């Protein structure tokens, strides 16, 4: 962790060192901007989102972090098996991809590697420091921060920056504090349990299985990082209210509902449970902000700007890709401070387009499963409810139907 005096003026402050924030910070630092990357944790706790598609190689190579990624010794993923729309298992092999295979990784180690990658490029990395409040005055941002373990005003410090980036994930802590609002498209949660000693034949692929309450996802985890052999995560994706009604955060109820997921249950039949169920927010959302003529120079990147359903398997990839777009936009804001509104409006228009495309993909994906007439699945038959030209609906039409 870099130390920097309180009150120092940076070109850019990036709040949140998940994949989006760290990649944005690295891009900007490589361009020579003075960047501070503020992360409230010290990457001490396990993180969720451990399966990466083969084409993640592209942004990691562009960032110059491919060797660092391989040094984490991720497990190769040879493909996805699914029971979706049909009780018969379908397989999709990654061997057809030009990149060869996908990856299962330890997300905590991956996120730490990216944050250190930003630091190695010259960004000032502050770990264990949370941004509480951001105010734009006298031509720059003033960020009030608190050490993670600190209490009271004695431990607070202030950072200053010309441009501010919200990379705080689904919470969009910074943007919401500045008046932006989240458009929520669902109330999805993932109830995850970790396992060890999974049978060797189950250690090379991802499995997705639709059930009346939602769908199951199970994926291998690298053993060394988990201090376990044959580690795996198994997670039920369902809605907040359905999760609460069935008390799925309790180990017994979780185990009970696994009974309706034959393939997933079979997969972990000989395995040993090593955690209790953990509930993770997984809702889809878009952060909406005004780009008025006096717009102050801030933007959101990654999940803070647009969070997608884990069924897409693209959260980390999107975070890394939009980091490049965010860095380009910020470079423009810093170089031409009179053009703030236009640059921000163009950035937001791109995110809106990405959001519309994503919502259509999501609707088609859920539309392919017609076996269950249950609340979870009824809520997701979105395209049937979109008025007018369902072939080319707008973001607001899909949002209204969601
Ligand atoms: C259940 C589930 C399963 C998923 N599975 C996959 C998967 O298999 N593959 C995949 O590609 N994606 C998956 N995703 C999505 C993926 O995890 C996210 O898209 C990705 O993490 C987004 O990166 P990010 O940097 O935008 O946000 P995050 O990864 O959420 O990072 C935000 C960072 O900001 C920090 N922070 C928050 N508030 C503050 C503050 N006030 N001050 C300082 N720091 C702060 C946090 O500590 C964190 O480090 C999954 C998501 C969920 C919910």
């Amino acid at each position: 962790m870099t130390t920097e005096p309180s009150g120092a003026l940076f070109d850019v402050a990036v709040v949140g060192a998940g994949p989006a924030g760290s990649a944005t910070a690295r891009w900007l630092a490589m361009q020579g901007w003075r960047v501070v990357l503020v992360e409230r944790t010290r990457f001490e706790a396990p993180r969720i989102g451990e399966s990466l598609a083969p084409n993640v190689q592209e942004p990691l190579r562009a960032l110059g972090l491919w060797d660092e990624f391989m040094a984490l010794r991720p497990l190769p993923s040879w493909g996805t098996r699914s029971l979706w729309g049909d009780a018969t298992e379908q397989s999709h092999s990654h061997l057809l991809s030009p990149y060869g295979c996908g990856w299962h990784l330890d997300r905590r180690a991956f996120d730490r590697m990216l944050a250190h990658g930003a630091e190695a490029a010259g960004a000032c990395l502050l770990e264990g420091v949370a941004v509480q409040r951001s105010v734009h005055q006298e031509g720059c941002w003033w960020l009030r921060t608190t050490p993670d373990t600190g209490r009271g005003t004695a431990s607070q410090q202030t950072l200053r920056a010309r441009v501010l980036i919200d990379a705080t994930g689904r919470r969009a802590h910074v943007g919401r504090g500045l008046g932006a609002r989240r458009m929520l498209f669902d109330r999805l949660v993932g109830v995850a349990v970790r396992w060890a000693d999974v049978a060797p034949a189950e250690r090379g692929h991802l499995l997705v299985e639709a059930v009346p309450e939602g769908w199951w996802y199970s994926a291998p985890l690298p053993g060394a990082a988990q201090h376990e052999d044959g580690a795996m995560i198994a997670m039920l994706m369902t809605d907040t209210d359905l999760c609460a009604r069935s008390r799925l955060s309790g180990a017994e109820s979780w185990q009970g509902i696994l009974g309706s997921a034959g393939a997933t249950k079979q997969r972990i039949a000989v395995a040993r449970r090593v955690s209790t169920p953990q509930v993770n927010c997984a809702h889809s959302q878009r952060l909406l902000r005004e780009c008025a003529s006096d717009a102050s120079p801030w933007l959101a990147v990654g999940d803070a700007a647009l969070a997608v359903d884990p069924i897409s398997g693209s959260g980390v990839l999107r975070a890394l890709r939009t980091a490049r777009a965010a860095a380009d936009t910020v470079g423009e804001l810093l170089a031409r401070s009179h053009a703030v509104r236009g640059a921000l409006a163009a950035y937001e228009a791109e995110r809106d387009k990405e959001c519309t495309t994503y919502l259509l993909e999501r609707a088609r994906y859920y539309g392919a499963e017609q076996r269950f007439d249950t609340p979870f699945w009824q809520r997701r038959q979105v395209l049937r409810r979109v008025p007018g030209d369902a072939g080319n609906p707008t973001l607001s039409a899909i949002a209204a139907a969601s």
Side-chain angles (χ1 to χ4, degrees):
M1 174 168 117
T2 327
T3 47
E4 193 76 22
S6 186
L9 177 63
F10 293 90
D11 292 315
V12 190
V14 182
V15 186
S22 294
T24 309
R26 183 168 163 93
W27 279 120
L28 287 163
M30 288 195 299
Q31 289 163 18
W33 299 110
R34 271 176 56 84
V35 181
V36 62
L37 174 60
V38 192
E39 167 57 42
R40 70 174 174 179
T41 72
R42 294 178 189 276
F43 302 102
E44 58 278 67
R47 293 184 168 211
I48 214 92
E50 52 295 302
S51 299
L52 302 186
N55 52 353
V56 75
Q57 196 177 137
E58 210 180 274
L60 287 174
R61 280 195 187 278
L63 280 162
L65 292 173
W66 181 247
D67 290 345
E68 286 78 356
F69 174 70
M70 290 311 286
L72 300 175
R73 306 186 66 180
L75 291 177
S77 171
W78 303 114
T80 304
R81 297 187 192 163
S82 60
L83 292 104
W84 194 279
D86 199 314
T88 313
E89 195 172 288
Q90 307 287 323
S91 293
H92 170 79
S93 170
H94 288 327
L95 291 174
L96 299 174
S97 151
Y99 301 103
C101 67
W103 304 99
H104 300 298
L105 48 85
D106 173 354
R107 259 304 290 277
R108 172 175 35 177
F110 177 72
D111 286 11
R112 191 197 289 125
M113 177 277 286
L114 289 173
H116 290 175
E119 188 176 39
C124 167
L125 172 63
L126 302 180
E127 286 176 59
V129 175
V131 169
Q132 303 293 341
R133 199 160 167 260
S134 325
V135 182
H136 193 250
Q137 60 187 38
E138 297 162 16
C140 73
W141 290 100
W142 297 72
L143 275 60
R144 200 178 72 198
T145 69
T146 319
D148 201 31
T149 49
R151 292 281 180 274
T153 51
S155 51
Q156 290 179 353
Q157 64 166 310
T158 303
L159 296 168
R160 292 187 304 140
R162 294 167 62 199
V163 176
L164 177 61
I165 298 186
D166 182 354
T168 58
R170 275 184 166 78
R171 294 171 67 224
H173 174 82
V174 174
R176 289 165 71 205
L178 295 170
R181 64 184 177 84
R182 288 185 300 180
M183 184 189 273
L184 294 181
F185 301 113
D186 56 53
R187 301 275 174 184
L188 194 69
V189 289
V191 194
V193 171
R194 288 170 193 261
W195 298 80
D197 303 333
V198 166
E202 300 295 340
R203 298 181 189 178
H205 65 276
L206 188 108
L207 176 72
V208 170
E209 181 174 14
V211 293
E213 303 80 9
W215 52 275
W216 286 84
Y217 157 101
S218 53
L221 297 170
Q226 304 298 316
H227 307 292
E228 288 143 10
D229 195 32
M232 179 166 282
I233 188 161
M235 185 154 44
L236 173 64
M237 308 301 305
T238 188
D239 284 332
T240 312
D241 59 332
L242 307 176
C243 175
R245 199 178 305 156
S246 303
R247 297 195 169 86
L248 292 176
S249 55
E252 266 183 39
S253 324
W254 189 93
Q255 196 80 35
I257 212 154
L258 180 61
S260 65
T264 308
K265 190 176 174 196
Q266 173 69 27
R267 196 172 196 205
I268 50 178
V270 298
R272 181 168 50 88
R273 184 163 65 79
V274 292
S275 81
T276 52
Q278 306 286 327
V279 181
N280 303 279
C281 285
H283 54 261
S284 297
Q285 71 180 35
R286 169 87 177 99
L287 189 71
L288 301 175
R289 51 104 36 114
E290 296 290 328
C291 292
S293 53
D294 61 345
S296 46
W298 73 271
L299 56 79
V301 66
D303 278 8
L306 169 64
V308 303
D309 190 316
I311 194 66
S312 71
S314 66
V316 170
L317 187 66
R318 281 172 193 271
L320 296 177
R321 283 184 174 157
T322 54
R324 185 65 195 263
D328 288 348
T329 304
V330 169
E332 210 174 315
L333 297 183
L334 288 165
R336 302 191 305 135
S337 50
H338 59 280
V340 170
R341 186 183 172 206
L344 289 178
Y347 178 80
E348 293 300 328
E350 271 305 307
R351 304 287 76 71
D352 278 347
K353 210 164 116 191
E354 186 185 349
C355 183
T356 308
T357 307
Y358 154 67
L359 288 172
L360 281 171
E361 279 169 16
R362 184 186 73 147
R364 292 198 179 107
Y365 208 82
Y366 279 107
E369 175 55 88
Q370 298 285 335
R371 287 177 296 162
F372 311 114
D373 191 21
T374 54
F376 181 88
W377 293 97
Q378 285 160 2
R379 291 167 187 171
R380 283 162 177 78
Q381 301 306 316
V382 173
L383 282 184
R384 288 187 192 165
R385 298 196 296 268
V386 175
D389 180 7
N392 189 23
T394 61
L395 173 57
S396 49
I398 304 173
S402 292

